[in-house]
């Protein structure tokens, strides 16, 4: 960066193992946090909060979950949509069956339930790898969506198959779901929730569990020689990943859209999250956020850019252009840096560390 | 340095091992033993079954016949991670490091079996898990000092030159604090200096930690210099077994390596 770590000596291993070892990074993050919590809800209007920030955070959560599985443990999965549906419907059943249960507890329990389902569908990973595993996880995708669509017990026998989130408060008088919830309240709740879970994910990947996952990803034979049990490593990755994805599905249904049907979690949802992970950067927590931002924000930006620049274009033309430019940008980024935006960011930092000197 | 070296009792004994893949016999009726604190070299021409032998000891391959006794107890059917738990570490012929991770993380991964904190402690990180991480980091730093790889601690191993990768792999195996260390061609593809370094490290490990070492090596100079005993395999059979001098004088071994005139 423009700043350097010169003069900041580490005298203990705990300082060396910190997530942000450089002081300026810590200050920057603190500043970003303050802006995100206080400035954004105060300055942004409801449209921005509802269509940009809330979906961004929900998708970031899903991308984070998939990144733990695919990026860190190397298990390719196309079941993300199905697991999101699990989270959404589990939390709906829990919230309506036990109205007194706190909403955060509902989300966490839905996540745990999804983790169980994830472990079940992760069992084939013990035998098959790579693309073949991806095909096996498709079974989860199609089966789960079919199940939530077919049995209307899941929707409390709603004739349309749509579930609506009941209003719930995070603290008395402060609604985060239902009609009374203000966009700002939803946003701040999501922000804190996602930030805490992202921190937990970071802690996991820099501990024994994360190293076991990466070992399995990079060289499974050597991992086994060291004493890592592939069974445990792969299934724990499926469990933790599904936990995150399940919670993101619950947040999608309860906080983002407010009402949802099983068909919202079709296969294209799985692909969308997978693209976020690939574009953002496999094996990077930051990458999950960058990827989610890219996929959520760019279409909106492209859509609004002609009007903002004062170029008169027909609406259909704009939407066609949006698809073309979006596709071209994805290809461009993948050619420039196949390891995603997170790696691009890292390379940029390394370059700036020396800049303006050649070495 | 070697004068007072104490070679103890049998640590691992393989008895009449036969391993076949379909009709191909990789190992036929092999028996030998590895004694505590010794350096045992397994040599033989290409395809002799040396790596297969290590894979059997490691639990990768399951021999059709024969027994393996480790520390006096007969081993049942074995999985590699169970072998690791018993204290058998291993390096590979072609480097098998975790390419996406730094040197430090690679070696820390070697401590996996020694770490006890559970998933929730790891999720919270601060507290028990951090104490444990630091405790193991200290051990790992000692190994890093020992193998003189301080400068590449934070480098992703994919970027390291081959000789250093081999050294990191040895470091990772040492992090397991093994009783028996299996080295599959630790010096393949190295130049003379790197080979000398690696020999020094192997002798030091053996000397300072008392680790028993079984190694496969093609460089006869190295083998004759550092090993206490040599086992010679050829076409899956054992040709000879004894001190370097005995093996060097053995007619079968000379024939296998140099060929026989017909």
């Amino acid at each position: 960066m423009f700043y350097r770590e010169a003069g900041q000596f580490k005298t203990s291993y705990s300082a060396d193992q910190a997530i942000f070892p450089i002081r300026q990074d810590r200050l920057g993050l603190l500043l970003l946090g303050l802006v995100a919590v206080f400035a954004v809800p105060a300055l942004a209007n409801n449209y921005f909060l509802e269509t940009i920030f809330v979906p961004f955070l929900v998708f970031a959560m899903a991308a984070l979950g998939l990144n733990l599985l695919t990026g860190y443990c190397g298990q390719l999965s196309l079941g993300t949509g199905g697991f999101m549906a699990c989270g959404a419907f589990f939390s709906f059943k829990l919230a309506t069956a036990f109205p007194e249960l706190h909403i955060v507890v509902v989300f966490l329990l839905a996540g745990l339930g999804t983790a169980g389902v994830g472990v079940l569908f992760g069992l084939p990973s013990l035998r098959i790898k790579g693309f073949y595993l991806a095909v096996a996880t498709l079974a989860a995708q199609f089966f789960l969506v079919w199940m939530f669509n077919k049995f209307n017990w899941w929707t409390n026998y709603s004739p349309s198959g749509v579930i609506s989130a009941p209003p719930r408060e995070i603290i008395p008088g402060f609604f985060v779901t239902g009609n009374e919830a203000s966009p700002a309240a939803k946003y701040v709740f999501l922000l804190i929730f996602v930030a805490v879970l992202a921190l937990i994910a970071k802690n996991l990947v820099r501990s024994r569990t994360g190293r076991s996952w990466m070992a399995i990803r990079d060289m499974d034979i050597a991992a086994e020689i060291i004493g890592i049990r592939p069974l445990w490593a792969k299934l724990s990755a499926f469990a933790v990943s599904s936990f995150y994805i399940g919670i993101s599905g619950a947040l999608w249904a309860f906080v983002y859209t407010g009402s949802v049907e099983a068909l919202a979690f079709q296969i294209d949802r799985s692909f969308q999250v997978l693209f976020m992970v690939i574009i953002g950067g496999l094996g990077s927590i930051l990458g999950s956020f960058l990827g989610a931002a890219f996929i959520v924000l760019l279409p909106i930006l492209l859509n609004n850019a002609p009007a903002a620049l004062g170029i008169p274009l027909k609406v259909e033309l704009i939407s066609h252009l949006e698809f073309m430019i979006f596709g071209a940008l994805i290809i461009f980024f993948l050619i420039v840096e196949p390891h995603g935006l997170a790696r691009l960011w890292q390379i940029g930092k390394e370059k700036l560390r020396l800049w303006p000197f050649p070495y | 340095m070697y004068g007072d070296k104490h070679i103890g009792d049998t640590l691992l004994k393989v008895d009449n091992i036969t391993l076949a893949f379909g009709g191909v016999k990789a190992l036929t009726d092999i028996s030998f033993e590895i004694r505590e604190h010794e350096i045992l070299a397994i040599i033989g021409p290409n395809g002799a079954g040396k790596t297969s032998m290590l894979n059997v000891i490691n639990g990768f391959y399951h021999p059709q016949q024969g027994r393996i006794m480790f520390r006096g107890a007969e081993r049942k059917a074995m999985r590699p991670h169970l072998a690791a738990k018993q204290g058998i570490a291993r390096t590979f012929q072609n480097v098998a490091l975790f390419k996406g991770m730094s040197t430090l993380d690679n070696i820390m991964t070697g401590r996996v079996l020694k770490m006890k904190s559970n998933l929730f402690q790891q999720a919270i990180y601060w507290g028990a898990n951090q104490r444990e991480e630091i405790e193991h980091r200290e051990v790992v730093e000692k190994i890093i000092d020992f193998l003189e790889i301080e400068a590449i601690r934070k480098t992703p191993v994919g970027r390291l030159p081959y000789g250093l990768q081999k050294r990191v792999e040895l470091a990772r195996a040492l992090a397991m604090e093994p009783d028996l260390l299996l080295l599959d061609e630790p010096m393949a593809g190295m130049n003379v200096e790197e080979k000398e370094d690696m020999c020094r490290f192997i002798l030091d490990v053996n000397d300072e930690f008392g680790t028993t070492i079984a190694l496969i090596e093609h460089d006869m100079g190295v083998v004759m210099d550092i090993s206490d005993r040599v086992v010679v395999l050829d076409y899956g059979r054992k040709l000879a077994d004894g001190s370097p001098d005995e093996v060097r004088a053995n007619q079968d071994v000379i024939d296998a390596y140099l060929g026989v005139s017909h």
Side-chain angles (χ1 to χ4, degrees), chain A residues 10 13-17 19 199-201 203-204 206-230 232 236 240 346 350, chain B residues 58 60 79-81 84 88 90 92 95-101 105 108-110 112-113 115-117 119 122-126 129-130 133-134 137-138 141 154 159 172 176:
Chain A
K10 292 163 219 153
Y13 290 131
S14 59
D16 192 45
Q17 288 166 340
I19 301 176
L199 178 67
I200 289 177
N203 284 343
L204 281 180
R206 65 192 177 129
S207 299
R208 176 171 59 108
T209 305
R211 283 194 292 267
S212 312
W213 292 344
M214 290 187 271
I216 289 282
R217 170 194 72 187
D218 285 345
M219 189 69 77
D220 52 355
I221 291 173
E224 216 179 331
I225 285 283
I226 279 174
I228 295 166
R229 289 163 61 201
W232 187 87
S236 66
V240 175
Q346 197 190 347
E350 277 173 24
Chain B
N58 236 181
F60 264 127
R79 299 289 308 153
H81 64 86
I88 300 178
R90 156 97 187 256
F92 290 82
V95 186
L97 286 171
F98 307 128
K99 292 263 184 306
M101 299 158 77
D105 278 340
M108 282 293 274
T109 312
V112 128
L113 279 177
M115 295 180 122
K116 296 283 172 285
S117 64
L119 202 64
Q122 290 173 48
I124 296 161
Y125 194 82
W126 289 276
N129 187 50
Q130 191 175 26
E133 288 275 321
I134 290 171
R137 175 78 187 268
E138 278 163 7
E141 288 291 341
K154 298 278 173 84
R159 285 193 210 164
R172 188 181 67 188
M176 294 167 67

Side-chain angles (χ1 to χ4, degrees), chain A residues 22-334:
Chain A
I22 303 176
R23 193 183 305 120
Q24 286 91 333
D25 279 345
R26 286 197 292 271
L27 286 174
L29 189 80
L30 187 69
L31 203 66
L32 185 72
L34 290 176
V35 167
V37 174
F38 296 107
V40 170
L43 297 175
N45 62 25
N46 284 353
Y47 168 77
F48 271 102
L49 286 173
E50 292 238 293
T51 58
I52 295 178
F53 287 106
V54 167
F56 160 65
L57 288 168
V58 172
F59 271 121
M61 183 84 158
L64 193 60
L66 186 62
N67 215 337
L68 291 178
L69 182 65
T70 305
Y72 283 96
C73 196
Q75 311 297 309
L76 190 53
S77 162
L78 288 176
T80 318
F83 295 135
M84 283 176 83
C86 272
F89 284 88
F90 287 177
S91 54
F92 175 71
K93 286 304 284 186
L94 278 169
T96 49
F98 307 99
E100 67 284 354
L101 219 53
H102 192 272
I103 190 70
V104 173
V105 177
V106 168
F107 288 158
L108 293 178
L109 286 177
L112 285 179
T114 314
V117 178
V119 168
L120 195 66
F121 282 100
L123 285 173
S125 72
L126 303 176
R127 284 282 166 202
I128 49 182
K129 293 177 188 172
F131 293 120
Y132 304 95
L133 178 65
V135 174
T137 55
L138 272 180
Q141 171 65 43
F142 289 117
F143 170 76
L144 290 169
V145 171
W146 170 81
M147 182 181 76
F148 293 123
N149 215 16
K150 172 85 180 170
F151 299 104
N152 48 16
W153 177 79
W154 290 107
T155 58
N156 284 352
Y157 307 103
S158 124
S160 58
V162 175
I163 54 170
S164 301
R168 288 286 182 274
E169 304 151 308
I170 179 88
I171 44 174
F174 197 74
F175 281 93
V176 289
T177 68
N179 290 332
E180 288 160 68
S182 75
K186 287 179 176 180
Y187 164 75
V188 173
F189 165 67
L190 272 181
L191 184 71
I192 294 170
F193 200 53
V194 173
V196 169
L197 281 165
L199 178 67
I200 289 177
K202 180 70 192 173
N203 284 343
L204 281 180
V205 299
R206 65 192 177 129
S207 299
R208 176 171 59 108
T209 305
R211 283 194 292 267
S212 312
W213 292 344
M214 290 187 271
I216 289 282
R217 170 194 72 187
D218 285 345
M219 189 69 77
D220 52 355
I221 291 173
E224 216 179 331
I225 285 283
I226 279 174
I228 295 166
R229 289 163 61 201
L231 172 89
W232 187 87
K234 287 179 180 174
L235 291 188
S236 66
F238 265 97
V240 175
S241 156
S242 308
F243 176 76
Y244 277 78
I245 294 172
I247 290 182
S248 85
L251 293 174
W252 174 292
F254 274 62
V255 184
Y256 173 36
T257 55
S259 64
V260 80
E261 56 178 336
L263 296 178
F265 300 110
Q266 294 276 42
I267 180 84
D268 39 346
R269 191 71 60 225
S270 302
F271 279 120
Q272 201 179 7
V273 177
L274 184 64
F275 293 158
M276 287 175 188
V277 172
I278 292 174
I279 289 175
L282 286 163
S284 158
I285 301 284
L286 174 70
S288 317
F289 286 88
L290 294 178
F294 187 88
I295 300 262
V296 172
L297 296 189
L298 203 66
I300 297 171
L301 197 72
L302 290 173
N303 215 350
N304 291 325
L309 292 171
I311 307 167
L313 287 176
K314 282 201 214 100
V315 180
E316 316 92 75
L317 187 62
I318 291 178
S319 64
H320 290 168
L321 274 178
E322 180 196 318
F323 279 121
M324 288 163 66
I325 297 174
F326 190 55
L329 274 175
I330 289 178
I331 294 170
F332 172 75
F333 271 113
L334 289 182

